[in-house]
Amino acid sequence: MANRVWVKNEIAALLAKELGRELWEITDIAENGESKKDKEERFFIAQKLLDAQKHMVLLDECEDIFSRYGSWFDDSLRKDHINKLLESVKIPSIFLSNSADIDPAFLRRFDIVLEITAPPKDKKKAIVEKSLKAKRISLDSHIITQISESSFSQGVLLNACKVAKTLAQHSTHRAKERKATITESFVQVLNEHLKLSGAKAITLVKEQPLPYDMSLINASMDMKVLCEQIKNIPKSESGHKQSVRILAYGMAGSGKSEFAKALAKELDKPIILKRGSDLLSMYVGGTEKNIAKAFMEASKQEAILVFDEVDSFLQDRSGAYMSWEVTQVNEMLTQMESFNGIFIATTNFMDNLDSASIRRFDMKIAFKPLDFARLCKAFKLYAEHLGVFRIHAGQRGISIAR
């Protein structure tokens, strides 16, 4: 099972090749593009007709079958049908799923259950570069970096390459201009995919990052000092650094999330930022699973984990009306306790948080609006960055001259 992004089909094909077997794939789409609904029947037939020594069977998107049955209603006849399907396996078979939400009663019937997770950023970048090289497409490094940070499958990348090269072939431009056409078309195809998921678009021009100075943060403690303290935390006997749990609270725009990003840069660590909309689920138990998954992902990548707008699911349990309002907070506290890394939660509404949850944080840091001195310093820093000169900050305000 895995996220739709990662190349499960290619892994299955590689496994069959290594074993010297022919892979028979059962999907919902026929060769003519029409939808087929007899996937289960075709699986049964494959088990009867194929040779266990020569073939393997691939059942793609098996969650379509399993998701019809489970906790929503008790359909014992249909569940029995699925059990018979699993018990009928005589040919080595691979079931692919984009979701782990499968009844445990079915999962127990598999010999191996394997989760395929996203590769680290550097490996994903290497995969992107290899795919582009195979298609003889050259892109600037900053575009490749943006692609590797996005959730594209290899299939989407290869399709974008195909579209871009097709458009370039029909171009009347010279070679240098055709290269620009390929780049623009390639990025446009990818951005259409990103638009559907509400993700940030890929930019052709390299963005110049704004300068950042931690001393500008008007907080209840010196953030530069805090950063140095976190850097110097000694490792335990197991080789892990002591966990750090920070609750950053204050009005919107006071620099809470930007501090987390700056801290990750200072510590040379990846950062995983989750907003309330990324974690909250419409299904009972879904939010708890998303919370656990976020902590697991951060542990594997040794990343700084940031929960933005944490008040959306960490509200005071004393006023809870539904059981899931309590279980969300409980899951959050359990994950915080077992997490051996840096965890930062931000909120604009400190008073709404569960009091027991607040006590679990090592540090509670108040972020305030910039005072006049910091405002002048920030204005000068960014004005100089933009090429504005001769800035004077006095008691009556700030004057600028070129």
Side-chain angles (χ1 to χ4, degrees), residues 34-52:
E34 294 182 359
S35 177
K36 300 180 72 174
K37 300 299 183 183
D38 59 341
K39 190 156 57 176
E40 297 162 57
E41 182 180 345
R42 285 181 285 134
F43 183 82
F44 277 119
I45 294 172
Q47 296 299 321
K48 292 180 179 297
L49 298 182
L50 297 180
D51 187 335

Side-chain angles (χ1 to χ4, degrees), residues 76-88:
S76 57
L77 290 176
R78 296 300 294 164
K79 291 186 79 170
D80 182 61
H81 177 71
I82 296 301
N83 287 332
K84 286 183 178 178
L85 180 145
L86 295 174
E87 292 169 357
S88 73

Side-chain angles (χ1 to χ4, degrees), residues 39 106 176:
K39 190 156 57 176
F106 296 143
K176 185 177 180 180

